[in-house]
Amino acid sequence: MTDSISPAALKAMMESEAPYAVIDVREPMEFNADQIHLTTSLPRGWLEFRILGLVPVKNTPLVVVDGGEGRGARVAETLERHGYKGVRVLAGGLPGWKEAGFSTVSGTNVPSKEFGEEVLHEDKIPEIEVEALHALIEGKGPLRIFDARTENEYERFAIPTGVSLPGGELILHAWDMDQDHETPLIINCAGRTRSIIGAGGLHRLGVKHARALRNGGMGFILAGLPLARGEVSEVPRPSEKSRAHGEALAKKLADEEGIPAVSVDELAVFQEKSEANTLYVLDVRLAPEFGQGHIAGAISIPGGQAVQRTDEVAAVRAGKFVTYCDSNARATMVAYWLRRMGLKDVSFLSGGLAAWEAAGMPVEVSGVLADGESPSTGGGPLGLEAAQGSVLGLSPKEAKALDGATVIDLDVSPGFRAAHIVGSRWLLRASLEERIEALCPNKSGPILLVCGDGTRSALSAWALADMGYGGAVYLNGGKRAWREAGLALEEGDSGFEGPVIDVALKPYDIGTGAMQEYLDWEENLGK
């Protein structure tokens, strides 16, 4: 039976300097509504996919937070099955924490949002209002607007005349940007944080005329101003002089701020010791660069996202962080920000991937594409091979012929809504064990588990087999294979079982009220 930890003991642990991790296994919408500060969101459905990247050392003190309903105990059992030692569950879950009189926060990526507002005030970053920027755009005068979000976000909507330039790339463009002090230089994102960090980074590098767009694209929407939609992201290349200047700026920044560099040999030693000491190797290049080859075990998190989503990487804040890029510039800039955010052991790989390859060290091409927005290790989920060896995976043809099966779809809710097998029922992965008896009272009856690609469903079928469901099988290759076999899928909301809380919508996906509330919340973090 899994041990528990009291709220008071957890609070003391989180106030210590020792390594630990606290993962909250509730769904994103639950987590965003109410959470313990500086904990890591890891919904049950993503546990096997992300836990090894978040908590790579399996004897790290690890506490699981749930909603007090028992989900944490099941997660702890799964973690113990995969070799994690000493896992404990917060007694009473989040309600128990609150009943003990301890505070919570709400929102998404709260540590990063707080930090952005601190930088705005501490560094006195100048802002421009959306109406003022719109007037400049309408005036047809020269403008330089750079969108610090990911390429995918830019393509969804963008400030008119804005150029896609993810925030981690800005240091490489600093010289080019600093040659013209007359034309307004604006950094924007969807809201506030990446605009502030982007402009703040340029200020720290000496480009003092950069300004952050206050409230970003959402500010444009709230003001009734037009946005460009469907633009193709074409990230500009810096001039060779600017790239070289970026490397010189990075050296100056490292010297002034005392940011340590590690050699290839030193990083190799860290890797050798990584089974006992938490090591995060962060590849801060753009996602396509990561896909072309990366250091084995590295996490893809492009520079601007590394600052925006630090809590999604740094589950063990007392761990060692090493950033790297192709050379030094981008990695140094990210290391600077991470150290300012309070992570104590942060360095960069001297010479980056080029030095790593020149030393004859191995480079991995995983075949798994990073999306540039969320952290990605490029690897498969923990326990997948064991699951596939323990339960039966059916081909689409075999699954189609399965008589009388209950078909349960465990895909993310947008994936189910877009395409599912006719007659299937969608269920949160977190609810599977507690709901399966009501859905399938006959443990020997056929149950076909389905997801997008067959991975989550294989792991889930394994869990059901352990519960005695001998008829649990999964669709090999998932709905992707089903579609490729020419079999029919339908779209729509028919078949949803239970609350749809697995995806936290962006404020601009909800409406103007949500956007205004979000921006007010974000701005108030700095007060």
Side-chain angles (χ1 to χ4, degrees):
M1 184 174 178
T2 303
D3 291 336
S4 64
I5 183 172
S6 71
L10 175 58
K11 189 172 189 296
M13 174 189 287
M14 295 181 71
E15 290 172 349
S16 75
E17 297 294 322
Y20 68 86
V22 184
I23 61 169
D24 189 320
V25 297
R26 297 173 302 143
E27 296 304 306
M29 289 178 67
E30 296 174 303
F31 181 81
N32 289 357
D34 211 6
Q35 67 201 251
I36 300 171
H37 193 35
L38 295 177
T39 58
T40 299
S41 175
L42 182 56
R44 172 61 189 94
W46 294 104
L47 182 74
E48 293 92 343
F49 295 81
R50 296 178 181 167
I51 187 62
L52 199 55
L54 287 169
V55 189
V57 177
K58 292 186 176 181
N59 64 356
T60 301
L62 176 56
V63 177
V64 178
V65 177
D66 65 7
E69 73 295 292
R71 190 183 312 171
R74 293 195 298 272
V75 166
E77 290 173 2
T78 301
L79 290 171
E80 288 162 358
R81 168 188 243 176
H82 292 304
Y84 282 85
K85 310 293 184 185
V87 181
R88 289 179 286 176
V89 177
L90 175 61
L94 187 69
W97 175 269
K98 294 168 72 173
E99 287 168 10
F102 300 136
S103 63
T104 59
V105 296
S106 63
T108 177
N109 303 125
V110 176
S112 298
K113 306 296 183 182
E114 283 184 328
F115 177 65
E117 299 302 320
E118 289 170 7
V119 169
L120 176 70
H121 297 295
E122 289 176 9
D123 295 5
K124 298 179 171 56
I125 306 303
E127 296 181 287
I128 183 172
E129 299 288 342
V130 295
E131 293 84 0
L133 180 56
H134 178 65
L136 291 173
I137 294 170
E138 290 291 290
K140 309 299 182 188
L143 272 175
R144 294 177 297 165
I145 304 172
F146 294 100
D147 193 319
R149 299 173 299 159
T150 64
E151 299 96 308
N152 288 343
E153 291 175 281
Y154 172 85
E155 291 180 355
R156 183 168 187 179
F157 67 76
I159 304 299
T161 77
V163 174
S164 177
L165 188 60
E169 307 300 296
L170 288 167
I171 187 171
L172 299 179
H173 295 257
W175 188 88
D176 289 339
M177 290 179 174
D178 205 29
Q179 300 315 296
D180 177 359
H181 289 238
E182 301 299 323
T183 303
L185 172 57
I186 314 298
I187 308 300
N188 82 273
C189 64
R192 298 177 56 79
T193 304
R194 285 173 286 181
S195 304
I196 294 166
I197 296 300
L202 288 173
H203 275 247
R204 180 61 184 83
L205 298 171
V207 185
K208 299 293 188 181
H209 56 292
R211 286 185 284 175
L213 174 60
R214 183 171 180 268
N215 294 338
M218 284 190 280
F220 256 65
I221 295 170
L222 290 170
L225 300 174
L227 289 170
R229 299 184 184 274
E231 297 287 324
V232 176
S233 172
E234 296 180 353
V235 177
R237 296 176 63 86
S239 68
E240 288 304 313
K241 187 163 188 177
S242 194
R243 181 180 290 276
H245 183 65
E247 295 297 329
L249 287 174
K251 183 180 186 311
K252 184 172 184 286
L253 181 66
D255 291 344
E256 291 176 351
E257 299 288 345
I259 305 170
V262 300
S263 67
V264 168
D265 289 343
E266 287 172 319
L267 178 54
V269 171
F270 295 159
Q271 289 181 320
E272 289 172 5
K273 297 179 178 179
S274 63
E275 286 191 7
N277 300 294
T278 298
L279 172 67
Y280 297 107
V281 180
L282 307 184
D283 187 322
V284 302
R285 301 172 299 157
L286 295 174
E289 295 176 85
F290 178 83
Q292 291 164 8
H294 54 269
I295 296 172
I299 299 170
S300 174
I301 183 76
Q305 295 302 96
V307 182
Q308 170 85 347
R309 296 188 166 199
T310 307
D311 60 310
E312 297 180 22
V313 175
V316 184
R317 294 178 63 84
K320 180 184 292 294
F321 297 79
V322 178
T323 63
Y324 78 89
C325 60
D326 57 335
S327 185
N328 293 317
R330 291 178 284 180
T332 304
M333 194 78 237
V334 174
Y336 163 75
W337 285 124
L338 295 181
R339 286 163 63 88
R340 277 196 64 175
M341 291 182 76
L343 298 178
K344 299 186 184 305
D345 191 350
V346 184
S347 55
F348 66 94
L349 175 61
S350 180
L353 190 65
W356 184 264
E357 291 183 293
M361 302 299 283
V363 172
E364 178 178 88
V365 180
S366 64
V368 177
L369 295 178
D371 67 7
E373 187 164 358
S374 303
S376 173
T377 58
L382 194 63
L384 180 60
E385 287 186 10
Q388 291 172 332
S390 301
V391 292
L392 183 62
L394 301 183
S395 70
K397 183 179 179 181
E398 292 169 328
K400 176 73 172 172
L402 193 62
D403 247 358
T406 300
V407 183
I408 298 175
D409 193 317
L410 299 162
D411 202 353
V412 291
S413 56
F416 177 83
R417 186 173 285 113
H420 55 265
I421 295 172
V422 178
S424 60
R425 304 160 89 169
W426 178 85
L427 197 62
L428 274 172
R429 171 61 188 90
S431 302
L432 179 63
E433 288 89 346
E434 66 189 56
R435 297 285 307 280
I436 189 63
E437 188 174 343
L439 290 173
C440 305
N442 179 8
K443 286 194 171 184
S444 61
I447 304 170
L448 176 64
L449 298 177
V450 178
C451 65
D453 61 2
T455 52
R456 181 178 293 182
S457 51
L459 293 163
S460 301
W462 190 25
L464 290 188
D466 278 353
M467 293 176 66
Y469 283 87
V473 296
Y474 69 95
L475 177 60
N476 199 10
K479 289 180 289 189
R480 182 178 60 201
W482 185 272
R483 181 183 290 107
E484 289 170 355
L487 298 174
L489 293 166
E490 65 177 0
E491 61 181 42
D493 291 346
S494 175
F496 275 112
E497 294 274 351
V500 182
I501 53 175
D502 64 316
V503 175
L505 296 176
K506 305 287 188 185
Y508 45 77
D509 290 324
I510 301 172
T512 55
M515 285 187 280
Q516 189 62 64
E517 183 179 338
Y518 172 84
L519 292 169
D520 290 344
W521 163 79
E522 197 170 15
E523 191 165 6
N524 284 329
L525 290 172
K527 296 180 180 177

